[in-house]
């Protein structure tokens, strides 16, 4: 049996504790049983759990002329210099190019080493920078 890293355990804990994470991972694009929250909401929830488990991290706001704003989290395990990006809502990009690909062709979550570039070629972001999520209190 493979040994799970702290990041693996964090991802599994989020899947276990968050119904919307399970929706993105197992139900999307069928939203008949759930309503997907925005990517900033998912990223904030994930980052909050990561911080309770000792991870450092921040949110990235990525801007695309074609796709608008997109958000994901970048985390770092305690004692590590390696930053990993975690995008729970990347599957929304499955239909950017026509004909539409299968949403399952994009992993959920999409996890990649953070090197200031997004790994999916179907969407191009003109800028990506650490940011605070939008204020939804109004």
């Amino acid at each position: 049996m493979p040994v799970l890293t702290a990041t693996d355990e964090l991802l599994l804990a989020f899947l276990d504790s968050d119904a919307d994470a399970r929706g993105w991972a197992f139900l999307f694009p069928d939203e008949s049983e759930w309503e997907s929250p925005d990517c900033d909401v998912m990223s904030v929830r994930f980052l909050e759990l990561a911080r309770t488990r000792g991870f450092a991290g921040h949110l990235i706001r990525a801007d695309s002329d074609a796709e608008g704003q997109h958000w994901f989290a970048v985390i770092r395990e305690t004692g590590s210099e390696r930053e990993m990006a975690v995008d729970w809502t990347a599957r929304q990009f499955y239909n950017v190019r026509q004909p539409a690909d299968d949403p399952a062709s994009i992993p959920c979550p999409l996890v990649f080493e953070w090197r200031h570039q997004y790994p999916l070629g179907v969407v191009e972001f003109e800028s990506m920078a650490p940011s605070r999520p939008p204020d939804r209190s109004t």
Side-chain angles (χ1 to χ4, degrees):
M1 184 171 189
V3 176
L4 296 178
T5 66
T7 300
D8 294 332
E9 290 177 358
L10 172 63
L11 298 173
L12 290 171
F14 192 62
L15 271 172
D16 187 51
S17 67
D18 192 285
D20 293 321
R22 291 189 300 278
W24 277 104
F26 305 118
L27 300 175
F28 184 83
D30 179 3
E31 294 187 55
S32 62
E33 297 178 36
W34 69 292
E35 185 176 330
S36 63
D38 290 339
C39 53
D40 61 309
V41 172
M42 288 298 297
S43 298
V44 166
R45 282 190 210 159
F46 175 70
L47 188 56
E48 287 172 352
L49 178 65
R51 287 178 174 156
T52 68
R53 291 176 165 250
F55 285 77
H58 57 275
L59 299 178
I60 297 291
R61 175 181 154 179
D63 293 301
S64 167
D65 289 339
E67 300 300 319
Q69 288 182 3
H70 184 64
W71 298 80
F72 54 91
V74 173
I75 58 170
R76 184 174 38 82
E77 289 183 34
T78 303
S80 174
E81 295 299 316
R82 187 174 179 208
E83 291 186 314
M84 299 300 293
V86 180
D87 187 346
W88 286 92
T89 62
R91 283 196 168 162
Q92 68 183 303
F93 299 122
Y94 82 98
N95 63 354
V96 170
R97 292 200 179 142
Q98 296 300 323
D101 290 328
D102 178 357
S105 66
I106 298 174
C108 182
L110 178 64
V111 180
F112 54 99
E113 189 167 357
W114 179 235
R115 295 185 177 172
H116 304 276
Q117 61 188 57
Y118 199 75
L120 296 180
V122 296
V123 62
E124 184 175 323
F125 294 111
E126 287 73 33
S127 66
M128 289 186 288
S131 187
R132 291 188 159 171
D135 181 5
R136 294 182 178 271
S137 63
T138 56

